[in-house]
Amino acid sequence: MVLQEKTNQLSEKNSCLGEVLIPEEKIRAEVKKAAAQLDKLYDGRPLLLVGILKGSFIFMADLCRELSVPCEIGFITAKSYYSGTESSGKVTVSGELSQDLSKYHLVLVEDIIDTGRTLKEVVRIMKERSPVSVTVVTLLDKPERRLVEFEPDVSLFTVPDKFVVGYGLDCAEQFRNLPCIAEYIPEK
Ligand code: IMP
Ligand code: MG
């Protein structure tokens, strides 16, 4: 209830925040289910969760705390040069993973798959380091917007072709702290 009030307050102060598409209780329930899936898959196996910054930071924090299996956690940064709500198509990946990846099952943790370019590039780069396996878990998927072929292994929610913010996702670095997923409407 307190968090719903926070969303309302943010919405009053930001005229470009639209409808809440996914409330926080729904996110919490699906995060638990995804963690249960990972628990089954990686029981007794060396597991490294790799969050793709910045958008995945809240999802990663919640997902890893729902897991029962041991895991290590790392982050890399992927930038797709957004100006407003449109991506340029260029993806750069940076950041260190100090582990020898050939000893781990990797789970890439992403906030949203839009054109598919970011994850395609991240998976390509990660595979060069010969991990035992690579699994992609995304909080949100916008399949209507895909420009390159890419399917996540686990997707918690499918969203329509709308720009969304909250729960780690931003527009020009704003709204990452919104506890739910809401639509962003530039000219509202
Ligand atoms: P892709 O390379 O087009 O699949 O884009 C992936 C990245 O673009 C995501 O990791 C997000 O950071 C960003 N992105 C795509 N759609 C949205 C959105 O609706 N809201 C916020 N960020 C988005
Ligand atoms: Mg991202």
Side-chain angles (χ1 to χ4, degrees):
M1 207 56 213
V2 172
L3 291 176
Q4 183 56 50
E5 277 166 23
K6 188 178 166 209
T7 301
N8 292 341
Q9 282 168 6
L10 277 164
S11 189
E12 276 164 26
K13 288 181 188 154
N14 296 284
S15 58
C16 44
L17 267 189
E19 199 195 333
V20 171
L21 298 177
I22 313 172
E24 54 207 291
E25 314 79 68
K26 268 200 178 170
I27 299 176
R28 208 173 300 129
E30 290 304 310
V31 169
K32 274 183 199 284
K33 283 190 211 163
Q37 250 178 295
L38 297 179
D39 276 343
K40 275 196 192 146
L41 281 172
Y42 298 106
D43 191 15
R45 295 179 165 161
L47 174 61
L48 173 60
L49 304 179
V50 179
I52 302 172
L53 292 172
K54 299 178 196 170
S56 71
F57 80 107
I58 292 178
F59 179 35
M60 171 67 107
D62 286 349
L63 183 68
C64 71
R65 284 179 296 174
E66 290 295 340
L67 281 183
S68 309
V69 293
C71 67
E72 293 176 34
I73 292 167
F75 287 97
I76 54 170
T77 300
K79 283 200 173 138
S80 42
Y81 298 105
Y82 259 75
S83 65
T85 60
E86 281 304 314
S87 153
S88 70
K90 270 192 219 154
V91 180
T92 56
V93 178
S94 59
E96 287 292 312
L97 292 172
S98 53
Q99 291 89 343
D100 171 1
L101 299 195
S102 69
K103 296 187 164 48
Y104 291 87
H105 292 269
L106 290 196
V107 171
L108 301 177
V109 179
E110 174 63 308
D111 55 354
I112 187 165
I113 306 178
D114 185 34
T115 64
R117 287 179 184 130
T118 302
L119 269 172
K120 198 156 193 166
E121 180 62 3
V122 170
V123 167
R124 187 189 68 75
I125 290 171
M126 290 296 131
K127 283 190 171 165
E128 284 177 350
R129 293 177 64 181
S130 311
V132 185
S133 67
V134 179
T135 295
V136 172
V137 177
T138 187
L139 175 72
L140 307 175
D141 189 8
K142 270 200 267 190
E144 284 172 52
R145 296 254 313 167
R146 211 64 104 247
L147 292 177
V148 298
E149 232 175 88
F150 191 88
E151 281 302 316
D153 300 288
V154 180
S155 163
L156 280 60
F157 299 95
T158 298
V159 289
D161 181 6
K162 291 177 173 178
F163 200 80
V164 295
V165 292
Y167 199 74
L169 288 95
D170 73 311
C171 182
E173 296 301 329
Q174 293 286 319
F175 308 115
R176 293 193 196 273
N177 61 329
L178 197 66
C180 59
I181 298 287
E183 187 180 355
Y184 175 83
I185 305 167
E187 69 282 353
K188 195 177 132 190

